[in-house]
Amino acid sequence: MTKIEPLGAVRERVTAELRQQIIAGSLLPGDRLVERELAERFGVSRVPVREAIRALVAEGFVHFETPRRTVVRRLTPTDVKELFELREALEVYAAGLAASRATPEDLAEVQELIGRAAAATEAGDAELITDLNSRLHDRIMAMAGNSLLTEALEPVAGRLRWMTRRNEEWPQLLVEHRELYEAIASGDPDRARAHALTHVRTNYRSTMRHLFGDEEAP
């Protein structure tokens, strides 16, 4: 007997797949999302596709150019600036808390992620690098021990990953993550915050450069 997948599960599956295609660059800014074509591709009805598109509009990945035309959003310098301002406020504070609260087990897990990121950087595996770097930042947020911080960043975490996926200065990112880890492991909140601030601002400039060429970061 064929098991029928609940509509909610279908919607979440389609949403997750489309989100990942946008982050990975399979769907590019300006690409059109057509309900009928997507329904055929995923082998589902148009209802979960329509709901998935609405979810991605709410997350900031796509937008309605007209009532009948939905496209992948084109990021602007202002989009990047505002998201990184939020990231700076939250992640710098979280790094200070993490330095005060991290356990040996927490630090060992971050070390393991950095080791895997180093191997992925050596191999030039962009998708794995992006995933590991995101997990590393998630782990630092968790180490801060403040659930409200995590909840505050969650609505924009996907868009941040989308932006930073375009930044291919991977060896530099690896160096910065190692320095950030060492600062947190030192147990010195001021040192951890300083390294986190430098990391976020460097990543902001790199992301602007990769998204908009030689345009100066505002």
Side-chain angles (χ1 to χ4, degrees), residues 79-146:
D79 292 329
V80 180
K81 181 176 183 290
E82 290 179 350
L83 280 167
F84 270 86
E85 285 175 345
L86 178 62
R87 181 182 172 188
E88 181 177 309
L90 299 180
E91 290 193 8
V92 171
Y93 183 60
L97 291 178
S100 300
R101 299 174 178 176
T103 66
E105 292 77 17
D106 290 329
L107 296 173
E109 185 173 345
V110 173
Q111 267 193 315
E112 192 266 340
L113 288 170
I114 290 175
R116 293 178 61 192
T121 299
E122 182 70 22
D125 188 335
E127 186 170 349
L128 183 56
I129 291 168
T130 302
D131 178 62
L132 291 169
N133 287 346
S134 295
R135 289 171 60 187
L136 184 147
H137 281 281
D138 289 346
R139 189 70 212 125
I140 292 172
M141 293 295 289
M143 286 160 57
N146 187 315

Side-chain angles (χ1 to χ4, degrees), residues 7 10-12 14-15 18 33-56 70:
L7 179 60
V10 176
R11 180 188 64 246
E12 290 302 316
V14 173
T15 303
L18 289 174
L33 302 182
V34 180
E35 284 184 16
R36 174 179 49 78
E37 294 175 359
L38 292 173
E40 291 175 358
R41 183 195 308 174
F42 289 110
V44 300
S45 73
R46 293 174 65 169
V47 173
V49 171
R50 186 176 304 123
E51 293 179 352
I53 288 174
R54 287 173 179 164
L56 293 171
T70 308

